[in-house]
Amino acid sequence: MNASSSFVSDASSSFVSIGRPVSTVFHYFAYSNGGFRKTHWLGVPILKLPTDLWIYHEIIWKTRPDLIVETGTCKGGSALFFANMFDLMATDGRVITIDITSCPEGYPEHPRIQFITKSSTTPETAALIRSLVRPTDRVMVILDSDHSESHVRNELDLYSPLVSHGCYLVVEDTNVNGHPVYRTHGPGPMEALIDFLASDSGRGFESDVAIVDKFGFTFQPRGWLRRVGRRAAS
Ligand SMILES: C[S@@+](CC[C@H](N)C(=O)[O-])C[C@H]1O[C@@H](n2cnc3c(N)ncnc32)[C@H](O)[C@@H]1O
């Protein structure tokens, strides 16, 4: 980037001065240029920053979940990425991914992935997912569906109890609504996350900020939560 070009536009067409920290300017650039929307994993579209995928790889390796529950499948690229992490680790890991609509082009086939076409926040869906968790599973949860505050807050209530001690609960796209991008989004994942962390159930989690420091920015600021309290008995 040329220092004489003193502004970078964000997705809401407002502007940020390059006088901000370089990491924030780079975040604006990465968001507004939309490269993450044209990213693929083994040919399947995946809506993630490569640096966030590297963080996923590190926490999956470190915490070794048996089951990843993902809300928001889209084209299935992220589910395939998680399944392939389990392939590389040669574990019995499984992925359950939920989306309100199915993908017209079809999903990538992989024996570790179970695709569920339902809204993530109905009591029936939550009960179905609970029934698929085995008592000995170490469970990781990723929330990446509807990014409105109320939806994410509901998902946090429904799915945070599944997360095992030491495993992660990832609240995706906490960067919108001005944190720091897409200021016109309206209350979203970050607002839901702040409310959750102040609640009784949120006290069992802490934001892992150290894990993202090495890259300087993530699309999930404060959204990489590690369970420090025990999972409620099912
Ligand atoms: C950001 S995309 C998911 C991206 C995907 N995880 C990836 O990284 O490639 C969000 C998805 O959430 C789905 N969605 C929206 N509302 C939902 C709901 N109530 N329940 C489940 N999925 C929902 C949308 O259909 C969309 O495919």
Side-chain angles (χ1 to χ4, degrees):
M1 191 181 302
N2 183 337
S4 64
S5 66
S6 54
F7 294 100
V8 176
S9 68
D10 79 2
S12 61
S13 301
S14 49
F15 293 89
V16 58
S17 162
I18 205 166
R20 303 231 177 156
V22 169
S23 58
T24 305
V25 175
F26 193 59
H27 194 148
Y28 271 88
F29 173 73
Y31 194 82
S32 61
N33 99 332
F36 71 98
R37 295 184 199 281
K38 298 172 222 148
T39 299
H40 296 76
W41 173 253
L42 301 184
V44 183
I46 183 169
L47 290 166
K48 300 266 186 282
L49 271 185
T51 44
D52 284 337
L53 287 172
W54 198 261
I55 292 171
Y56 271 117
H57 139 253
E58 291 197 356
I59 63 179
I60 291 168
W61 172 260
K62 194 167 77 175
T63 63
R64 305 186 83 80
D66 303 297
L67 173 64
I68 294 177
V69 175
E70 173 191 60
T71 67
T73 311
C74 203
K75 312 275 186 192
S78 48
L80 181 63
F81 177 85
F82 303 134
N84 289 154
M85 286 300 110
F86 289 137
D87 291 339
L88 290 168
M89 290 162 61
T91 70
D92 292 331
R94 294 133 51 221
V95 179
I96 298 174
T97 181
I98 310 156
D99 204 291
I100 196 165
T101 57
S102 57
C103 176
E105 301 90 33
Y107 291 124
E109 282 183 26
H110 194 291
R112 296 181 188 271
I113 310 177
Q114 184 169 359
F115 294 96
I116 294 179
T117 306
K118 290 183 186 302
S119 175
S120 58
T121 49
T122 67
E124 295 74 26
T125 307
L128 171 64
I129 302 305
R130 280 197 297 274
S131 76
L132 296 171
V133 177
R134 300 171 189 154
T136 54
D137 277 341
R138 280 176 62 71
V139 184
M140 172 175 172
V141 170
I142 298 156
L143 306 179
D144 190 21
S145 66
D146 175 340
H147 294 324
S148 64
E149 178 183 10
S150 59
H151 187 84
V152 179
R153 189 66 187 81
N154 279 341
E155 287 188 330
L156 283 163
D157 277 340
L158 292 169
Y159 296 104
S160 66
L162 300 183
V163 180
S164 303
H165 183 258
C167 283
Y168 280 78
L169 165 60
V170 185
V171 184
E172 286 249 351
D173 299 306
T174 46
N175 60 343
V176 300
N177 202 35
H179 308 294
V181 296
Y182 197 174
R183 275 174 258 173
T184 57
H185 179 278
M190 179 65 91
E191 287 70 26
L193 171 67
I194 289 169
D195 188 63
F196 171 71
L197 288 175
S199 72
D200 276 349
S201 19
R203 289 196 189 97
F205 291 85
E206 65 182 19
S207 272
D208 187 344
V209 285
I211 201 159
V212 297
D213 275 354
K214 60 189 156 196
F215 299 128
F217 80 103
T218 169
F219 278 5
Q220 284 75 247
R222 297 189 63 187
W224 302 89
L225 303 181
R226 207 164 52 88
R227 179 147 214 163
V228 289
R230 297 271 154 207
R231 183 167 104 194
S234 47

